[in-house]
Amino acid sequence: MATKDSSTPTSEVAATPAPATPTPDVPAPAAPATDVAEVAQPVSKKRKLTKYHRVRAHANPLSDHPFDYPSTPDAMDWSLHYPNFSANDRKVEFCDIGCGYGGLSVSLSQLFPEKYIVAMEIRPSVVEYVADRIKKLREAEEGKYTNVSVIQTNAMKYLPNFFLKGQLQKMFFLFPDPHFKKSKHRLRIINNVLLAEYAYLIAIGGKLYTISDVKDLAEWMQKHLDEHPLFEKVSDEENSQDPTVPLVRDSSEEAKKVARNGGDKYLAVYRRIAA
């Protein structure tokens, strides 16, 4: 049974007309370079085309947003997201938190075709874009990209409503909001309280991936992960053999923007260990 935190319903996967871009041969648009960016609006035959609409680079996780979410993980109907999903099928094991325009999740779907990947994002316009992107890719390449989907939600509040204990094999936190002001550090997606939640959801041996172009934030995330008793840092040597790491570094739109601007990328990977 679905639960709502507001009276305004919002679909978990927006069923909107396919956008003019991107196609498999055309790269996705870059992530916003400022707090407010222009993003191409999907073309619709039923309404006049609005050439651009405004999308904020980040959203306040404490603001009231209308979300649909399951009352328990067992109540989640994943068949709405994956065409070939069945109740007896394998579970969703990869979760891309704050997925942005979906570059990592789409890339993971091809690298791990046997895994179900869910991208989570709080901004409705971005979720609509990613849903249209996945829809377009599925139409262009029949049988592909059926293992990836997107959900609009607040990951700081509702993750335990979606996943069982030890369900996830990989969690990704790519270029999260730095929340530069000290008074806002409590809103950072990696903190002591939320790490306990992530440790509950990640299977022993599973991995948590972080990357940022902000050195202060990268050090903050690594400090809190280093101090947590249920995570251990993965060595650079092991990371060099992990096929996921190049995607974390380079496949997202934000990663490409950082590369274009000549910025640094601070990567850290941690393994969930037994107590």
Side-chain angles (χ1 to χ4, degrees), residues 39-270:
V39 180
Q41 176 81 336
V43 178
S44 172
K45 296 180 181 179
K46 297 183 179 179
R47 64 184 179 184
K48 183 178 178 180
L49 173 66
T50 300
K51 189 174 182 182
Y52 297 102
H53 65 278
R54 296 164 74 82
V55 176
R56 295 193 178 278
H58 299 287
N60 183 354
L62 298 184
S63 297
D64 288 331
H65 296 276
F67 298 121
D68 290 343
Y69 57 92
S71 56
T72 68
D74 289 333
M76 180 62 190
D77 186 1
W78 291 108
S79 65
L80 298 175
H81 295 269
Y82 308 102
N84 302 322
F85 191 91
S86 69
N88 297 322
D89 207 346
R90 60 191 184 278
K91 300 181 184 298
V92 175
E93 294 181 327
F94 290 8
C95 185
D96 182 6
I97 303 294
C99 68
Y101 294 103
L104 173 66
S105 294
V106 167
S107 299
L108 287 170
S109 73
Q110 295 305 287
L111 182 62
F112 299 97
E114 76 288 357
K115 300 291 186 181
Y116 283 120
I117 300 136
V118 64
M120 291 185 163
E121 173 62 51
I122 196 170
R123 296 166 292 173
S125 295
V126 179
V127 172
E128 179 181 350
Y129 173 86
V130 177
D132 286 337
R133 178 180 187 177
I134 293 170
K135 181 174 181 290
K136 187 74 173 179
L137 289 168
R138 289 177 179 177
E139 291 173 348
E141 299 186 56
E142 186 176 356
K144 293 187 177 181
Y145 303 99
T146 58
N147 63 329
V148 61
S149 189
V150 63
I151 291 175
Q152 184 194 358
T153 193
N154 186 339
M156 295 182 75
K157 292 183 178 181
Y158 303 122
L159 282 183
N161 293 80
F162 289 94
F163 305 113
L164 298 166
K165 179 180 179 180
Q167 178 174 335
L168 298 175
Q169 291 294 330
K170 295 182 186 293
M171 289 187 75
F172 301 91
F173 299 86
L174 275 59
F175 304 97
D177 190 338
H179 291 292
F180 287 108
K181 293 183 179 179
K182 189 173 182 179
S183 62
K184 300 291 186 181
H185 285 182
R186 62 193 175 90
L187 299 180
R188 288 178 169 177
I189 195 70
I190 298 292
N191 61 48
N192 290 334
V193 174
L194 291 175
L195 280 176
E197 192 171 283
Y198 305 152
Y200 176 83
L201 299 174
I202 299 174
I204 293 175
K207 291 183 177 180
L208 185 155
Y209 298 76
T210 70
I211 191 169
S212 178
D213 59 327
V214 179
K215 186 176 182 180
D216 172 72
L217 176 61
E219 291 175 347
W220 163 282
M221 293 191 292
Q222 292 182 43
K223 174 181 180 294
H224 284 75
L225 281 157
D226 286 339
E227 293 173 351
H228 199 284
L230 297 181
F231 289 99
E232 66 175 9
K233 194 170 186 179
V234 177
S235 68
D236 291 340
E237 181 180 1
E238 183 175 340
N239 285 337
S240 68
Q241 303 299 316
D242 185 348
T244 308
V245 167
L247 298 185
V248 173
R249 288 187 186 277
D250 302 320
S251 66
S252 70
E253 287 70 28
E254 187 68 19
K256 293 172 184 177
K257 185 190 77 172
V258 172
R260 288 196 304 270
N261 294 337
D264 295 318
K265 299 176 187 177
Y266 304 98
L267 171 83
V269 183
Y270 286 78

